[in-house]
Amino acid sequence: MKDQKKRILIVGGVAGGASCAARLRRLCEHCEIVLFDKGQHVSFANCGLPYFVGKVIKDEKKLLVATPELFEHRFNICVHTEHEVLKIDRDAKTISVQNLLDGSIRDEAYDALVLSTGSKAIRPPLVGIDLPGIYVLRTIPDSLKLRAAAKNAKRAVIIGAGFIGLEMAENLANLGIAVTMIEMAHQVMPPLDAEMAVYVEQSLKNNNVELKLGKAVESFTEHETGLKVHYSDGGILETDIVLLAIGVQPESSLARKANLNLGERGGIQVNETMQTNDSAIWAVGDVVEVKDLVTGQAISLPLAGPANRQGRIAAGSVLKYLNNDDRKILKFRGVQGTAVCQVFGQTIAITGANEKTLQKNGINNYQAIYLHPGNHVGYYPGAKPIHMKLIFTQDDGRILGVQAIGTSGVARRVDVISMAMQMGGTVYDLEESELCYAPQFGAAKDPVNMAGMIAGNNLRADLPLADWHSLQDHECFVLDVRSANEFSGEEIPGAVNIPIEELRDRYTELPKDTEIMVVCGVGQRAYYAVRMLLQYGYQVKMLPGGMQTYQVIKEIKKG
Ligand code: FAD
């Protein structure tokens, strides 16, 4: 009964706020829980919005995971929608709330306050940015506007090729709209390294999405049949609708005004139980900054999973604070950016750091490998490749990150590797992972095992690996061990072809005083060749991922 009469206020009632409220009630039957949201809905499925616009999800009600009525009746939680919290008075422990329906403002007292105010779409101050026809997608009302506009649209320009931009490209294209994406970076999907993004770019092009990469939007103007988007180098696109999907920033204005500690990027700083520098205030979700477990840096990671888990964690911490008791509580351990998205049937999944991030943070002691295993055994009908890039430390084989793309079985592999990473796992753990196998699901050597085996072989010096960049930087002796027929289809300029089946008889044709880089289709035959040549005393390395990887490397070189 100690919790009685304690008043907990929550600002923001979606992923982090709603999960915190529900957990609080599960842990404390006696405290008063009041939730405010300036929007019309709480606990809605923001992640489903692109599919609602694309009419994959037809009924708006399906987006409502929980309603204010459900919170009231099932959990005895009082929900005020269309109530904006304007100010926090930390000394008085009150918040100032405006009822957006009648404009009235009142103060509400708290014993504990939880901020889950999320993030806001970045809207750069470009000429014409407020013109009608330019949309963002954050809320159900946003999605209704976009859905209505899409009804009559023939052309759409999406600015930004991250998760939301890509999901929207697919959904708008599936409505029969001609989609062009403009992206300032020279690749789509920034969490991928450029050569992995090529697979996504190819898929977009195959589905008639036009890409303008390395282009910055400069302004918008109206014209008789819609809008003109002006971008770098004098480019102009005529369109009916524009979607701004260039990223988000923490919605931390309340916290800023209340002098709570913020990080460099504007996220609220919290401890591992989500408590801010004010012991009576917690913050969760997109609005906080979190520790990147790979780089050690403070980052923003606007994803639903962390927001939900942080909401749960904050609930326990709030009650421990209010009751000053010794209850056991959870701690947030940081993030590694595990994420997934689907574009035109391709699943893109990632966890951990990519090479760009490692280099930016001065982490250079790593090795990257590529592999292209089937999602399941080749003899079972319908096998499809998964393009994978695994990055690990050179000294102890600790996993730093993985990127994977394919049509099936992708998220499962990345989830397994993500969990291994969270347990501090190494590539040796991937080699030894015991995973599900039947022909329709995988292989006796699963792609996860394969990634670990290639990496482990490399670290044990059984399989020296070449860096694709060194191939471009200086002249190398390249041995291609595919069949003559495959070789005649496409070859690395200057490569010498000795099919693997002939190599045992012909290896003496190879130079002993030069480093040899061996390539095949995806890496398997090159591995056999490397093992053979090493034992005959040659200096030899394998080009990981074979010609499959060469093609994407060549694509990014072309620009
Ligand atoms: P939000 O869910 O944004 O909720 C914040 C709430 O706070 C809002 O309702 C807002 O109205 C309210 N608020 C803000 N300020 C105030 C104030 N002053 N007073 C009162 N109320 C206030 N993540 C994934 O992991 N996977 C996905 O597939 C995915 N897809 C997405 C697709 C879209 C289109 C969008 C927009 C997001 C997607 N996300 C996805 C991200 C995910 O939805 C967010 O990370 C998550 O919702 C964050 O939860 P939150 O509680 O921090 O903030």
Side-chain angles (χ1 to χ4, degrees):
M1 297 293 282
K2 267 162 120 191
D3 302 327
Q4 208 159 12
K5 294 199 184 88
K6 295 287 193 234
R7 194 156 201 261
I8 306 165
L9 304 187
I10 301 176
V11 189
V14 192
S19 84
C20 183
R23 174 83 173 164
L24 276 168
R25 178 56 78 225
R26 290 195 295 274
L27 296 178
C28 172
E29 192 52 30
H30 310 295
C31 50
E32 184 183 355
I33 306 168
V34 186
L35 194 152
F36 300 94
D37 201 297
K38 65 183 177 184
Q40 294 164 11
H41 307 94
V42 287
S43 202
F44 65 93
N46 352 32
C47 311
L49 296 179
Y51 303 94
F52 177 62
V53 175
K55 297 191 180 162
V56 178
I57 299 169
K58 295 195 170 54
D59 182 358
E60 185 188 328
K61 288 199 198 78
K62 296 269 186 214
L63 297 170
L64 301 174
V65 180
T67 58
E69 294 72 35
L70 184 138
F71 273 106
E72 177 74 49
H73 296 138
R74 188 172 293 171
F75 297 115
N76 187 24
I77 291 169
C78 181
V79 174
H80 298 282
T81 53
E82 296 180 270
H83 277 65
E84 181 169 5
V85 176
L86 305 175
K87 206 169 74 191
I88 305 166
D89 183 335
R90 286 170 53 190
D91 295 330
K93 286 200 177 170
T94 58
I95 57 172
S96 175
V97 187
Q98 179 165 38
N99 179 338
L100 298 177
L101 297 173
D102 63 14
S104 61
I105 296 178
R106 65 181 189 272
D107 285 349
E108 295 268 0
Y110 65 84
D111 294 300
L113 175 66
V114 181
L115 303 177
S116 185
T117 45
S119 48
K120 56 183 174 201
I122 295 173
R123 284 178 78 88
L126 299 174
V127 171
I129 188 99
D130 294 321
L131 283 172
I134 303 178
Y135 299 89
V136 294
L137 184 61
R138 298 285 315 154
T139 61
I140 293 179
D142 289 343
S143 68
L144 288 168
K145 284 186 217 154
L146 199 48
R147 198 161 140 144
K151 219 181 242 172
N152 302 316
K154 296 206 163 31
R155 304 156 300 178
V157 170
I158 298 175
I159 304 172
F163 286 94
I164 294 175
L166 291 172
E167 288 180 351
M168 282 307 301
E170 176 185 59
N171 278 289
L172 293 178
N174 286 347
L175 292 175
I177 296 173
V179 177
T180 305
M181 303 190 81
I182 306 182
E183 165 60 57
M184 202 150 71
H186 290 271
Q187 64 166 89
V188 301
M189 193 73 168
L192 293 174
D193 283 316
E195 73 282 11
M196 297 302 285
V198 168
Y199 297 108
V200 187
E201 288 155 17
Q202 284 168 345
S203 169
L204 290 164
K205 287 177 195 160
N206 292 343
N207 286 281
N208 302 318
V209 172
E210 202 179 320
L211 287 178
K212 307 269 180 213
L213 299 177
K215 307 284 179 205
V217 171
E218 290 167 349
S219 63
F220 305 92
T221 52
E222 277 179 300
H223 77 118
E224 59 278 12
T225 61
L227 289 165
K228 280 185 182 173
V229 182
H230 303 258
Y231 60 94
S232 34
D233 313 324
I236 298 177
L237 282 168
E238 291 185 6
T239 185
D240 303 314
I241 50 178
V242 171
L243 175 70
L244 287 178
I246 51 180
V248 293
Q249 61 193 63
E251 177 49 279
S252 55
S253 49
L254 262 184
R256 186 182 297 278
K257 279 191 273 177
N259 279 328
L260 294 177
N261 286 352
L262 304 185
E264 267 174 37
R265 291 177 190 80
I268 303 175
Q269 292 179 330
V270 288
N271 67 14
E272 55 192 356
T273 71
M274 312 312 297
Q275 199 170 25
T276 67
N277 60 305
D278 181 322
S279 59
I281 305 180
W282 285 254
V284 300
D286 289 4
V287 75
V288 299
E289 66 171 33
V290 281
K291 185 174 166 192
D292 181 322
L293 292 172
V294 179
T295 64
Q297 298 295 311
I299 60 161
S300 293
L301 187 72
L303 289 175
N308 273 276
R309 297 199 305 281
Q310 290 163 1
R312 278 186 92 226
I313 290 167
S317 178
V318 164
L319 293 174
K320 189 178 172 76
Y321 163 82
L322 291 178
N323 295 309
N324 196 19
D325 60 18
D326 59 358
R327 72 180 69 204
K328 289 194 171 50
I329 57 169
L330 299 162
K331 290 183 176 164
F332 191 69
R333 56 189 183 195
V335 296
Q336 56 189 46
T338 309
V340 66
C341 131
Q342 198 176 48
V343 192
F344 296 114
Q346 295 268 6
T347 306
I348 305 142
I350 43 180
T351 191
N354 57 35
E355 272 196 84
K356 288 177 297 193
T357 306
L358 292 174
Q359 286 166 8
K360 204 166 75 193
N361 286 282
I363 302 170
N364 297 309
N365 168 34
Y366 66 83
Q367 172 75 52
I369 59 161
Y370 302 92
L371 64 160
H372 310 277
N375 64 324
H376 60 59
V377 285
Y379 65 78
Y380 189 83
K384 295 276 166 29
I386 301 177
H387 307 294
M388 293 174 78
K389 176 175 183 177
L390 178 76
I391 309 177
F392 52 95
T393 53
Q394 273 167 335
D395 43 6
D396 57 5
R398 197 164 47 87
I399 309 159
L400 297 175
V402 68
Q403 302 160 46
I405 299 164
T407 52
S408 178
V410 177
R412 170 154 83 88
R413 274 53 186 233
V414 170
D415 274 342
V416 167
I417 297 177
S418 164
M419 196 61 220
M421 279 182 73
Q422 288 170 58
M423 305 304 289
T426 64
V427 298
Y428 309 115
D429 295 309
L430 301 186
E431 272 186 299
E432 288 300 313
S433 302
E434 187 177 315
L435 302 170
C436 295
Y437 164 59
Q440 55 282 59
F441 299 106
K445 281 183 198 156
D446 190 85
V448 170
N449 299 129
M450 291 295 291
M453 286 170 186
I454 296 169
N457 282 342
N458 172 249
L459 293 180
R460 287 185 292 267
D462 290 341
L463 178 60
L465 293 172
D467 178 355
W468 279 100
H469 302 293
S470 65
L471 182 67
Q472 293 155 355
D473 294 343
H474 56 85
E475 293 241 324
C476 311
F477 187 98
V478 178
L479 169 67
D480 189 325
V481 293
R482 294 174 300 158
S483 67
N485 202 18
E486 288 170 282
F487 186 71
S488 65
E490 178 171 29
E491 61 180 80
I492 295 174
V496 170
N497 178 223
I498 304 180
I500 183 72
E501 293 77 13
E502 298 172 22
L503 190 60
R504 206 162 270 113
D505 298 325
R506 293 179 52 193
Y507 69 84
T508 51
E509 294 170 27
L510 297 169
K512 270 227 149 146
D513 53 352
T514 310
E515 190 172 69
I516 302 169
M517 302 205 178
V518 189
V519 73
C520 66
V522 293
Q524 195 174 32
R525 287 168 288 179
Y527 168 47
Y528 303 149
V530 166
R531 290 300 312 146
M532 187 193 301
L533 293 174
L534 277 174
Q535 293 175 66
Y536 287 120
Y538 286 85
Q539 305 167 53
V540 61
K541 286 183 174 171
M542 182 177 98
L543 282 162
M547 293 300 286
Q548 177 80 62
T549 298
Y550 173 69
Q551 277 153 13
V552 289
I553 300 269
K554 205 175 67 176
E555 198 63 31
I556 52 169
K557 271 276 149 191
K558 261 192 337 202

